[in-house]
Amino acid sequence: MSDETPDRDDDIVLAGEYALGLLSDDESAAFELRLASEPELRAIYAAWAEDLAAMTEEVAPVAPPASLLPKIEHRLYPDEIRRRHGLWDRFGLAGLAVAVLALGLYVGPELFDRPPAPPSDPAYTARIAAEDGSFVVAAAYDAESDALYLDRREGAATPGRSLELWLIAGDAAPVSLGLLSDDPVTVVQVTDDLRAVLDGGVLAISDEPPGGSPTGAPTGPVVAAGPITES
Amino acid sequence: MSSELQEIEDLIARMAMGNRQAFREIYARTSAKLFGVVLRVLEDRAEAEDVLQEIYIKVWNNAERYRVNGLSPMTWLITIARNAAIDRKRRARPVQSAEMLNEALADPGPGPEAEAVRRSDRERLSGCFGELDDRHAEAVRRAYLDGDTYADLAAHFEVPLNTMRTWLRRSLLKLRECLSR
Protein backbone atom coordinates (compact mmCIF):
# COMPACT_ATOMS: atom_id res chain seq x y z
CA MET A 1 0.00 0.00 0.00
CA SER A 2 2.57 2.47 -1.18
CA ASP A 3 0.10 5.34 -1.42
CA GLU A 4 -0.99 5.06 2.21
CA THR A 5 0.78 6.74 5.06
CA PRO A 6 1.81 4.55 8.00
CA ASP A 7 -0.59 6.53 10.20
CA ARG A 8 -3.51 5.69 7.99
CA ASP A 9 -2.48 2.04 8.00
CA ASP A 10 -2.44 2.16 11.78
CA ASP A 11 -5.96 3.58 11.79
CA ILE A 12 -7.17 0.95 9.33
CA VAL A 13 -5.84 -1.77 11.63
CA LEU A 14 -7.17 -0.11 14.77
CA ALA A 15 -10.64 0.41 13.29
CA GLY A 16 -10.64 -3.20 12.10
CA GLU A 17 -9.66 -4.46 15.54
CA TYR A 18 -12.39 -2.30 17.06
CA ALA A 19 -14.97 -3.61 14.61
CA LEU A 20 -13.94 -7.18 15.41
CA GLY A 21 -14.13 -6.50 19.17
CA LEU A 22 -10.46 -7.26 19.73
CA LEU A 23 -9.51 -4.10 21.62
CA SER A 24 -9.36 -3.90 25.40
CA ASP A 25 -11.97 -1.80 27.21
CA ASP A 26 -9.57 1.12 27.52
CA GLU A 27 -8.50 0.92 23.91
CA SER A 28 -12.13 0.76 22.79
CA ALA A 29 -13.08 3.76 24.89
CA ALA A 30 -10.16 5.76 23.47
CA PHE A 31 -11.12 4.74 19.95
CA GLU A 32 -14.73 5.80 20.52
CA LEU A 33 -13.57 9.20 21.71
CA ARG A 34 -11.56 9.64 18.51
CA LEU A 35 -14.53 8.49 16.42
CA ALA A 36 -16.60 11.33 17.77
CA SER A 37 -14.22 13.96 16.45
CA GLU A 38 -12.61 12.37 13.38
CA PRO A 39 -14.88 11.95 10.35
CA GLU A 40 -12.17 10.15 8.42
CA LEU A 41 -11.82 7.55 11.15
CA ARG A 42 -15.60 7.14 11.13
CA ALA A 43 -15.46 6.41 7.42
CA ILE A 44 -12.74 3.80 7.97
CA TYR A 45 -14.76 2.19 10.75
CA ALA A 46 -18.01 2.28 8.73
CA ALA A 47 -16.26 0.53 5.83
CA TRP A 48 -15.15 -2.26 8.17
CA ALA A 49 -18.61 -2.56 9.73
CA GLU A 50 -20.17 -2.89 6.26
CA ASP A 51 -17.63 -5.35 4.92
CA LEU A 52 -17.49 -7.56 8.00
CA ALA A 53 -21.29 -7.67 8.33
CA ALA A 54 -21.35 -9.53 4.99
CA MET A 55 -19.86 -12.48 6.90
CA THR A 56 -23.19 -12.98 8.66
CA GLU A 57 -24.66 -14.17 5.38
CA GLU A 58 -23.09 -17.54 6.15
CA VAL A 59 -24.99 -17.74 9.45
CA ALA A 60 -28.32 -19.59 9.15
CA PRO A 61 -31.31 -17.55 10.35
CA VAL A 62 -33.12 -18.99 13.36
CA ALA A 63 -36.68 -17.91 14.15
CA PRO A 64 -36.94 -16.77 17.78
CA PRO A 65 -39.84 -18.26 19.77
CA ALA A 66 -43.19 -16.57 19.22
CA SER A 67 -43.34 -15.65 22.92
CA LEU A 68 -40.40 -13.24 22.59
CA LEU A 69 -42.03 -10.36 20.70
CA PRO A 70 -44.79 -9.89 23.32
CA LYS A 71 -42.11 -9.83 26.03
CA ILE A 72 -40.18 -7.13 24.18
CA GLU A 73 -43.32 -5.09 23.55
CA HIS A 74 -44.27 -5.40 27.18
CA ARG A 75 -40.89 -3.97 28.14
CA LEU A 76 -41.15 -1.19 25.56
CA TYR A 77 -44.71 -0.14 26.31
CA PRO A 78 -45.59 -1.58 29.73
CA ASP A 79 -48.83 0.38 30.04
CA GLU A 80 -50.17 -1.08 26.81
CA ILE A 81 -50.36 -4.71 27.76
CA ARG A 82 -54.07 -4.66 28.52
CA ARG A 83 -54.99 -2.90 25.29
CA ARG A 84 -52.80 -5.14 23.21
CA HIS A 85 -55.47 -6.54 20.94
CA GLY A 86 -55.79 -3.18 19.16
CA LEU A 87 -52.38 -3.80 17.64
CA TRP A 88 -53.61 -7.02 16.16
CA ASP A 89 -56.53 -5.63 14.20
CA ARG A 90 -54.79 -5.99 10.89
CA PHE A 91 -54.14 -9.64 11.51
CA GLY A 92 -57.79 -10.52 11.99
CA LEU A 93 -59.18 -13.00 14.45
CA ALA A 94 -56.75 -15.82 13.73
CA GLY A 95 -53.90 -13.45 14.50
CA LEU A 96 -55.64 -12.52 17.70
CA ALA A 97 -55.63 -16.17 18.72
CA VAL A 98 -51.86 -16.23 18.26
CA ALA A 99 -51.47 -13.00 20.19
CA VAL A 100 -53.51 -14.37 23.03
CA LEU A 101 -51.45 -17.53 23.03
CA ALA A 102 -48.16 -15.63 23.04
CA LEU A 103 -49.44 -13.28 25.73
CA GLY A 104 -50.63 -16.26 27.72
CA LEU A 105 -47.16 -17.80 27.68
CA TYR A 106 -46.00 -14.54 29.17
CA VAL A 107 -48.61 -13.76 31.81
CA GLY A 108 -49.25 -17.33 32.78
CA PRO A 109 -51.16 -20.32 31.53
CA GLU A 110 -54.07 -19.95 33.93
CA LEU A 111 -55.92 -17.75 31.44
CA PHE A 112 -56.44 -20.69 29.16
CA ASP A 113 -58.91 -23.46 29.29
CA ARG A 114 -58.61 -24.48 25.67
CA PRO A 115 -55.78 -24.66 23.17
CA PRO A 116 -55.96 -22.32 20.15
CA ALA A 117 -58.11 -23.56 17.28
CA PRO A 118 -56.47 -24.65 14.03
CA PRO A 119 -56.87 -22.31 11.04
CA SER A 120 -60.15 -22.95 9.21
CA ASP A 121 -58.68 -22.25 5.78
CA PRO A 122 -54.95 -23.03 5.86
CA ALA A 123 -52.82 -22.07 2.83
CA TYR A 124 -50.44 -24.97 3.42
CA THR A 125 -50.52 -28.16 5.42
CA ALA A 126 -47.99 -30.86 6.26
CA ARG A 127 -48.02 -34.19 8.00
CA ILE A 128 -44.77 -34.43 9.94
CA ALA A 129 -44.48 -38.09 10.80
CA ALA A 130 -42.02 -40.82 11.73
CA GLU A 131 -41.87 -43.68 9.23
CA ASP A 132 -43.39 -46.09 11.71
CA GLY A 133 -46.13 -43.65 12.73
CA SER A 134 -44.86 -43.47 16.32
CA PHE A 135 -44.59 -39.70 16.07
CA VAL A 136 -47.11 -37.55 14.18
CA VAL A 137 -47.62 -33.80 14.08
CA ALA A 138 -50.24 -32.16 11.87
CA ALA A 139 -49.16 -28.72 10.65
CA ALA A 140 -51.38 -26.03 9.13
CA TYR A 141 -50.24 -22.59 8.02
CA ASP A 142 -52.61 -19.64 8.20
CA ALA A 143 -51.48 -17.03 5.66
CA GLU A 144 -53.44 -14.20 7.21
CA SER A 145 -51.74 -14.36 10.57
CA ASP A 146 -48.44 -15.88 9.35
CA ALA A 147 -49.01 -18.54 12.00
CA LEU A 148 -48.04 -22.17 11.72
CA TYR A 149 -50.34 -24.31 13.86
CA LEU A 150 -48.85 -27.61 15.03
CA ASP A 151 -50.88 -30.39 16.61
CA ARG A 152 -48.80 -33.21 18.09
CA ARG A 153 -51.01 -36.30 17.81
CA GLU A 154 -48.58 -39.13 18.49
CA GLY A 155 -45.32 -39.29 20.43
CA ALA A 156 -43.58 -36.81 22.74
CA ALA A 157 -40.14 -35.52 23.65
CA THR A 158 -37.83 -37.87 25.53
CA PRO A 159 -37.80 -36.72 29.19
CA GLY A 160 -35.12 -34.04 29.63
CA ARG A 161 -34.91 -33.37 25.89
CA SER A 162 -36.58 -30.83 23.58
CA LEU A 163 -38.19 -31.21 20.17
CA GLU A 164 -37.17 -28.59 17.64
CA LEU A 165 -38.98 -27.78 14.40
CA TRP A 166 -37.00 -27.08 11.23
CA LEU A 167 -37.88 -25.74 7.82
CA ILE A 168 -35.79 -27.13 4.98
CA ALA A 169 -36.10 -25.33 1.64
CA GLY A 170 -34.27 -26.82 -1.34
CA ASP A 171 -30.57 -27.27 -0.67
CA ALA A 172 -30.48 -24.57 2.00
CA ALA A 173 -29.47 -25.41 5.56
CA PRO A 174 -32.41 -26.15 7.90
CA VAL A 175 -33.81 -23.05 9.59
CA SER A 176 -35.13 -23.42 13.12
CA LEU A 177 -38.78 -22.47 13.64
CA GLY A 178 -38.54 -22.95 17.37
CA LEU A 179 -39.32 -25.62 19.94
CA LEU A 180 -42.46 -27.71 20.23
CA SER A 181 -44.27 -26.97 23.44
CA ASP A 182 -44.94 -29.69 26.01
CA ASP A 183 -48.63 -29.15 25.32
CA PRO A 184 -50.02 -30.92 22.26
CA VAL A 185 -50.54 -27.64 20.38
CA THR A 186 -47.77 -25.20 19.42
CA VAL A 187 -48.23 -22.07 17.33
CA VAL A 188 -45.18 -20.65 15.57
CA GLN A 189 -45.00 -17.19 14.03
CA VAL A 190 -43.46 -17.38 10.54
CA THR A 191 -41.26 -14.43 9.57
CA ASP A 192 -41.37 -12.76 6.15
CA ASP A 193 -38.18 -14.27 4.84
CA LEU A 194 -39.32 -17.78 5.71
CA ARG A 195 -42.86 -17.47 4.41
CA ALA A 196 -41.55 -17.25 0.85
CA VAL A 197 -39.88 -20.67 1.06
CA LEU A 198 -42.71 -22.62 2.71
CA ASP A 199 -44.07 -23.79 -0.64
CA GLY A 200 -42.26 -26.98 -1.62
CA GLY A 201 -40.29 -27.03 1.64
CA VAL A 202 -40.02 -29.80 4.18
CA LEU A 203 -40.79 -29.60 7.90
CA ALA A 204 -38.70 -31.77 10.18
CA ILE A 205 -38.54 -32.31 13.94
CA SER A 206 -35.30 -33.23 15.67
CA ASP A 207 -34.42 -34.43 19.15
CA GLU A 208 -32.30 -31.74 20.86
CA PRO A 209 -30.83 -30.85 24.25
CA PRO A 210 -33.26 -29.03 26.60
CA GLY A 211 -33.84 -25.53 25.24
CA GLY A 212 -33.00 -26.52 21.70
CA SER A 213 -29.97 -26.90 19.47
CA PRO A 214 -27.08 -24.83 20.83
CA THR A 215 -25.59 -24.38 17.37
CA GLY A 216 -28.49 -23.16 15.24
CA ALA A 217 -28.36 -26.40 13.21
CA PRO A 218 -29.96 -29.73 14.10
CA THR A 219 -27.67 -31.73 16.39
CA GLY A 220 -29.87 -34.71 17.28
CA PRO A 221 -31.67 -37.35 15.22
CA VAL A 222 -34.65 -36.34 13.09
CA VAL A 223 -37.70 -37.97 14.65
CA ALA A 224 -40.20 -36.97 11.98
CA ALA A 225 -40.42 -35.13 8.66
CA GLY A 226 -42.96 -34.30 6.00
CA PRO A 227 -43.34 -32.16 2.87
CA ILE A 228 -45.38 -28.94 2.90
CA THR A 229 -48.22 -29.08 0.43
CA GLU A 230 -50.67 -26.47 -0.76
CA SER A 231 -54.11 -27.20 0.57
CA MET B 1 -29.53 0.69 -2.18
CA SER B 2 -31.89 -2.21 -2.95
CA SER B 3 -35.59 -1.64 -2.43
CA GLU B 4 -35.58 -4.02 0.52
CA LEU B 5 -32.87 -2.03 2.30
CA GLN B 6 -34.77 1.14 1.44
CA GLU B 7 -37.89 -0.34 3.02
CA ILE B 8 -35.99 -1.24 6.18
CA GLU B 9 -34.57 2.26 6.28
CA ASP B 10 -38.09 3.68 5.98
CA LEU B 11 -39.28 1.40 8.76
CA ILE B 12 -36.45 2.62 10.99
CA ALA B 13 -37.49 6.20 10.24
CA ARG B 14 -41.11 5.44 11.18
CA MET B 15 -39.92 3.63 14.29
CA ALA B 16 -37.95 6.73 15.26
CA MET B 17 -41.26 8.58 15.34
CA GLY B 18 -42.72 6.01 17.72
CA ASN B 19 -44.57 3.89 15.18
CA ARG B 20 -45.15 0.54 16.86
CA GLN B 21 -46.36 -1.20 13.74
CA ALA B 22 -43.06 -0.29 12.08
CA PHE B 23 -41.25 -1.88 15.02
CA ARG B 24 -43.27 -5.03 14.60
CA GLU B 25 -42.42 -5.17 10.90
CA ILE B 26 -38.72 -4.63 11.53
CA TYR B 27 -38.92 -7.49 14.01
CA ALA B 28 -40.73 -9.77 11.55
CA ARG B 29 -38.18 -9.09 8.84
CA THR B 30 -34.97 -9.19 10.83
CA SER B 31 -35.39 -11.21 14.03
CA ALA B 32 -34.50 -14.60 12.50
CA LYS B 33 -31.35 -13.14 10.98
CA LEU B 34 -30.28 -11.39 14.19
CA PHE B 35 -31.21 -14.37 16.37
CA GLY B 36 -29.00 -16.57 14.16
CA VAL B 37 -26.08 -14.15 14.61
CA VAL B 38 -26.58 -13.96 18.38
CA LEU B 39 -26.96 -17.72 18.74
CA ARG B 40 -23.75 -18.23 16.81
CA VAL B 41 -21.85 -16.07 19.32
CA LEU B 42 -23.52 -17.27 22.52
CA GLU B 43 -24.29 -20.92 21.71
CA ASP B 44 -26.97 -20.85 24.38
CA ARG B 45 -30.59 -20.49 23.50
CA ALA B 46 -31.87 -18.97 26.73
CA GLU B 47 -29.11 -16.35 26.81
CA ALA B 48 -29.60 -15.62 23.12
CA GLU B 49 -33.31 -15.00 23.68
CA ASP B 50 -32.54 -12.69 26.54
CA VAL B 51 -30.00 -10.74 24.50
CA LEU B 52 -32.37 -10.55 21.53
CA GLN B 53 -34.85 -8.74 23.76
CA GLU B 54 -32.17 -6.22 24.74
CA ILE B 55 -31.21 -5.78 21.10
CA TYR B 56 -34.70 -4.84 19.94
CA ILE B 57 -35.16 -2.52 22.90
CA LYS B 58 -31.94 -0.83 21.83
CA VAL B 59 -33.09 -0.72 18.21
CA TRP B 60 -36.32 1.00 19.27
CA ASN B 61 -34.53 3.44 21.55
CA ASN B 62 -31.78 4.33 19.07
CA ALA B 63 -33.86 4.45 15.89
CA GLU B 64 -33.83 8.24 15.78
CA ARG B 65 -30.05 8.22 15.69
CA TYR B 66 -29.82 5.73 12.87
CA ARG B 67 -29.82 8.15 9.96
CA VAL B 68 -26.64 9.91 10.95
CA ASN B 69 -24.48 6.94 11.79
CA GLY B 70 -23.35 6.29 8.23
CA LEU B 71 -24.11 2.55 8.25
CA SER B 72 -26.53 0.77 5.96
CA PRO B 73 -29.68 -0.39 7.82
CA MET B 74 -28.83 -4.11 7.96
CA THR B 75 -25.25 -3.36 9.02
CA TRP B 76 -26.57 -1.14 11.77
CA LEU B 77 -28.87 -3.89 13.05
CA ILE B 78 -26.25 -6.63 12.71
CA THR B 79 -23.66 -4.49 14.50
CA ILE B 80 -26.00 -3.77 17.41
CA ALA B 81 -26.86 -7.49 17.64
CA ARG B 82 -23.30 -8.72 17.43
CA ASN B 83 -21.99 -6.17 19.94
CA ALA B 84 -24.74 -7.03 22.41
CA ALA B 85 -24.02 -10.75 22.04
CA ILE B 86 -20.30 -10.27 22.52
CA ASP B 87 -20.85 -7.97 25.49
CA ARG B 88 -22.94 -10.72 27.05
CA LYS B 89 -20.40 -13.38 26.22
CA ARG B 90 -17.61 -11.45 27.88
CA ARG B 91 -19.69 -9.90 30.66
CA ALA B 92 -16.69 -7.76 31.57
CA ARG B 93 -17.62 -5.16 28.97
CA PRO B 94 -20.91 -3.62 29.96
CA VAL B 95 -23.65 -3.18 27.40
CA GLN B 96 -23.16 0.56 27.22
CA SER B 97 -20.38 0.14 24.71
CA ALA B 98 -22.84 -0.15 21.82
CA GLU B 99 -24.61 2.95 23.08
CA MET B 100 -21.38 4.88 23.35
CA LEU B 101 -20.64 3.94 19.80
CA ASN B 102 -24.01 5.25 18.75
CA GLU B 103 -23.33 8.50 20.54
CA ALA B 104 -19.93 8.73 18.96
CA LEU B 105 -21.32 8.14 15.51
CA ALA B 106 -24.24 10.47 16.01
CA ASP B 107 -22.17 13.52 15.20
CA PRO B 108 -23.48 14.48 11.76
CA GLY B 109 -20.33 16.21 10.47
CA PRO B 110 -18.98 15.38 7.04
CA GLY B 111 -20.10 11.77 7.10
CA PRO B 112 -18.80 8.55 5.69
CA GLU B 113 -21.93 8.07 3.59
CA ALA B 114 -20.10 7.92 0.29
CA GLU B 115 -18.11 4.97 1.44
CA ALA B 116 -20.83 3.42 3.54
CA VAL B 117 -23.50 3.18 0.87
CA ARG B 118 -21.13 1.03 -1.11
CA ARG B 119 -22.83 -2.35 -1.20
CA SER B 120 -20.80 -4.79 0.84
CA ASP B 121 -21.23 -8.12 -0.73
CA ARG B 122 -20.31 -11.52 0.41
CA GLU B 123 -18.52 -12.53 -2.78
CA ARG B 124 -16.19 -9.59 -2.63
CA LEU B 125 -15.42 -10.38 1.00
CA SER B 126 -14.91 -14.09 0.50
CA GLY B 127 -12.75 -13.34 -2.54
CA CYS B 128 -10.52 -11.22 -0.33
CA PHE B 129 -10.54 -13.84 2.43
CA GLY B 130 -9.29 -16.21 -0.26
CA GLU B 131 -6.18 -14.08 -0.65
CA LEU B 132 -5.28 -14.57 3.01
CA ASP B 133 -3.53 -17.57 4.49
CA ASP B 134 -6.34 -20.00 5.49
CA ARG B 135 -5.55 -19.80 9.18
CA HIS B 136 -5.43 -16.01 9.11
CA ALA B 137 -8.81 -15.84 7.38
CA GLU B 138 -10.20 -18.26 9.94
CA ALA B 139 -8.91 -16.03 12.76
CA VAL B 140 -10.76 -12.99 11.40
CA ARG B 141 -13.89 -15.09 10.95
CA ARG B 142 -13.71 -16.46 14.50
CA ALA B 143 -13.23 -12.98 15.94
CA TYR B 144 -16.25 -11.61 14.10
CA LEU B 145 -18.71 -14.49 14.12
CA ASP B 146 -17.80 -16.21 17.39
CA GLY B 147 -16.56 -13.19 19.35
CA ASP B 148 -13.12 -14.68 20.01
CA THR B 149 -10.60 -12.43 21.78
CA TYR B 150 -6.88 -12.34 20.96
CA ALA B 151 -6.35 -14.71 23.88
CA ASP B 152 -9.01 -17.12 22.54
CA LEU B 153 -7.45 -17.00 19.09
CA ALA B 154 -3.90 -17.53 20.37
CA ALA B 155 -5.11 -20.56 22.34
CA HIS B 156 -7.03 -21.93 19.39
CA PHE B 157 -4.20 -21.61 16.90
CA GLU B 158 -1.57 -22.50 19.53
CA VAL B 159 0.62 -19.48 18.87
CA PRO B 160 1.94 -16.82 21.25
CA LEU B 161 -0.36 -13.85 21.83
CA ASN B 162 1.98 -11.44 20.06
CA THR B 163 2.22 -13.67 17.01
CA MET B 164 -1.58 -13.75 16.95
CA ARG B 165 -1.77 -9.96 17.04
CA THR B 166 0.78 -9.67 14.24
CA TRP B 167 -1.10 -12.19 12.08
CA LEU B 168 -4.36 -10.50 12.57
CA ARG B 169 -3.14 -6.95 12.04
CA ARG B 170 -1.37 -7.92 8.84
CA SER B 171 -4.51 -9.74 7.70
CA LEU B 172 -6.60 -6.63 8.33
CA LEU B 173 -4.29 -4.50 6.19
CA LYS B 174 -4.29 -7.07 3.39
CA LEU B 175 -8.07 -7.37 3.60
CA ARG B 176 -8.59 -3.62 3.42
CA GLU B 177 -6.18 -3.35 0.51
CA CYS B 178 -8.09 -6.07 -1.36
CA LEU B 179 -11.53 -4.69 -0.45
CA SER B 180 -10.54 -1.21 -1.67
CA ARG B 181 -9.47 -2.40 -5.13
Side-chain angles (χ1 to χ4, degrees), chain A residues 59-142:
Chain A
V59 180
V62 180
S67 58
L68 210 62
L69 179 60
K71 285 188 197 173
I72 295 169
E73 292 184 327
H74 179 66
R75 286 172 67 181
L76 287 178
Y77 349 110
D79 51 322
E80 288 295 311
I81 198 85
R82 283 169 210 288
R83 295 194 283 122
R84 169 170 302 275
H85 61 271
L87 293 169
W88 286 86
D89 285 350
R90 82 177 185 111
F91 293 110
L93 282 178
L96 182 62
V98 179
V100 168
L101 175 78
L103 183 60
L105 292 176
Y106 181 67
V107 297
E110 67 276 9
L111 289 179
F112 297 99
D113 301 317
R114 283 173 302 176
S120 55
D121 181 23
Y124 299 108
T125 57
R127 186 170 180 275
I128 314 168
E131 274 182 30
D132 62 0
S134 62
F135 191 97
V136 179
V137 170
Y141 171 69
D142 182 45

Side-chain angles (χ1 to χ4, degrees), chain A residues 17 25 50-51 73 164 211, chain B residues 24 45 72 93 124 150:
Chain A
E17 288 180 295
D25 289 358
E50 296 293 334
D51 288 331
E73 292 184 327
E164 189 155 3
Chain B
R24 184 162 280 191
R45 205 151 179 129
S72 74
R93 259 192 105 189
R124 194 166 59 98
Y150 271 130

Side-chain angles (χ1 to χ4, degrees), chain B residues 32-135:
Chain B
K33 165 91 183 174
L34 299 190
F35 194 48
V37 169
V38 169
L39 207 50
R40 166 79 183 243
V41 173
L42 290 171
E43 296 180 308
D44 179 297
R45 205 151 179 129
E47 281 225 278
E49 287 176 17
D50 200 42
V51 169
L52 196 70
Q53 291 191 47
E54 287 170 16
I55 289 164
Y56 278 95
I57 287 167
K58 205 168 283 181
V59 165
W60 171 263
N61 289 334
N62 288 326
E64 63 193 272
R65 280 182 246 152
Y66 161 68
R67 199 158 272 287
V68 290
N69 69 17
L71 302 181
S72 74
M74 277 317 293
T75 299
W76 180 63
L77 293 168
I78 290 166
T79 303
I80 288 177
R82 186 184 158 275
N83 288 351
I86 288 175
D87 283 338
R88 171 65 63 100
K89 186 175 184 176
R90 298 189 188 156
R91 292 282 183 180
R93 259 192 105 189
V95 193
Q96 75 212 27
S97 150
E99 264 142 41
M100 276 183 66
L101 170 61
N102 248 304
E103 295 286 355
L105 289 174
D107 170 8
E113 283 79 4
E115 198 159 3
V117 293
R118 212 163 31 84
R119 289 287 305 281
S120 58
D121 81 272
R122 187 189 181 179
E123 280 152 41
R124 194 166 59 98
L125 186 69
S126 49
C128 288
F129 268 113
E131 294 188 12
L132 298 179
D133 179 290
D134 284 352
R135 299 216 294 169

Side-chain angles (χ1 to χ4, degrees), chain A residues 191-209:
Chain A
T191 56
D192 285 16
D193 44 341
L194 296 180
R195 185 195 312 131
V197 295
L198 282 179
D199 196 5
V202 169
L203 289 171
I205 294 168
S206 68
D207 173 74
E208 298 291 342

Side-chain angles (χ1 to χ4, degrees), chain A residues 14 18 23-33, chain B residues 93 100:
Chain A
L14 190 65
Y18 176 79
L23 298 180
S24 69
D25 289 358
D26 290 350
E27 290 166 330
S28 286
F31 182 82
E32 283 163 1
L33 275 180
Chain B
R93 259 192 105 189
M100 276 183 66

